[in-house]
Amino acid sequence: GGAKRPGIVHRIDKDTSGLLVVAKSDRALQGLAEQFAAHSVAREYRALVHGVPDAGDPRLAGLRGVRFEPGGVLCLTTLIDRHRTDRQKQAVCFDRGRRAVTRARLLERFGDPPAAAHLSCRLETGRTHQIRVHLAYAGFGLIGDPVYGGTRRLSHRAVGPEGDSAAAAYTHQALQAAELGIVPPQTRADQRFAAPMPADMATLRAVL
């Protein structure tokens, strides 16, 4: 990638924590880049979001590009392109852009009534801001997301004042690149790596 980008294979969003793979040789860089281009890399993200995906939600049933797969997995299939008016943002589109597919599985729900959720998100494609854009489009904006999260607040009635305060004080998207599976070109043997949830995100989860 040149002297200014030695070994850089892929990116994660600013303020998203978690795993990156960096190549130590040209051979590794080329082989890993091919895997990312072919979308054969296994990537799992963990997200803390507003709302709880529910296959019985009539709002989701009428939302274009959204469906539920077996096991209650929320699947979002759209195009993603630059926002028409804010060039720093991405947006869901259906007439332009690049194909994007995100699958989200519910791990935990928080609140009574449920008001927030812990999701496992898997990427079939890797577009800029993909998880953040897709979940916001479906109504499940990431807690703390300064770009796509809006001004949404959790209710005291659902999560208590401590839960609401902890979510309001979270100043970046609650998103972690938790698992990464690759095939190193030198060995051709599957390798899988996992990172623990960062302390601030784990604290928010515990409070919720």
Side-chain angles (χ1 to χ4, degrees), residues 10-198:
H10 67 123
R11 302 179 301 168
I12 55 177
D13 293 349
K14 178 184 176 182
D15 293 329
T16 294
S17 64
L19 294 164
L20 285 171
V21 59
V22 180
K24 295 174 66 178
S25 70
D26 287 341
R27 179 185 174 192
L29 180 63
Q30 181 178 349
L32 291 168
E34 289 172 353
Q35 292 174 49
F36 276 89
H39 308 304
S40 62
V41 176
R43 288 176 289 175
E44 180 182 357
Y45 287 74
R46 297 297 180 90
L48 301 178
V49 303
H50 291 276
V52 180
D54 183 350
D57 186 342
R59 180 185 62 83
L60 294 177
L63 195 59
R64 187 176 179 184
V66 176
R67 71 178 190 279
F68 279 88
E69 296 180 338
V73 175
L74 175 66
C75 181
L76 299 107
T77 305
T78 72
L79 302 178
I80 287 181
D81 204 354
R82 286 194 182 275
H83 195 281
R84 291 188 185 277
T85 58
D86 187 343
R87 305 303 289 176
Q88 300 301 312
K89 296 173 64 175
Q90 304 292 312
V92 164
C93 305
F94 293 98
D95 60 345
R96 58 189 174 87
R98 303 174 70 188
R99 181 174 180 268
V101 182
T102 304
R103 289 179 172 85
R105 178 170 57 89
L106 178 65
L107 299 177
E108 300 174 282
R109 50 172 59 86
F110 307 114
D112 183 19
H118 178 197
L119 303 181
S120 165
C121 300
R122 293 188 179 273
L123 297 178
E124 182 177 315
T125 56
R127 310 306 179 204
T128 302
H129 299 175
Q130 179 175 318
I131 290 174
R132 299 162 66 190
V133 171
H134 264 170
L135 291 181
Y137 167 73
F140 307 111
L142 271 71
I143 292 174
D145 191 334
V147 179
Y148 303 99
T151 58
R152 192 169 175 181
R153 292 285 297 265
L154 297 175
S155 74
H156 283 205
R157 186 168 68 90
V159 299
E162 288 187 0
D164 173 46
S165 296
Y170 208 80
T171 56
H172 59 90
Q173 63 270 13
L175 183 64
Q176 178 209 14
E179 293 190 14
L180 184 66
I182 60 172
V183 180
Q186 290 87 343
T187 64
R188 309 307 299 176
D190 288 348
Q191 295 285 307
R192 197 169 196 91
F193 303 90
M197 185 174 285

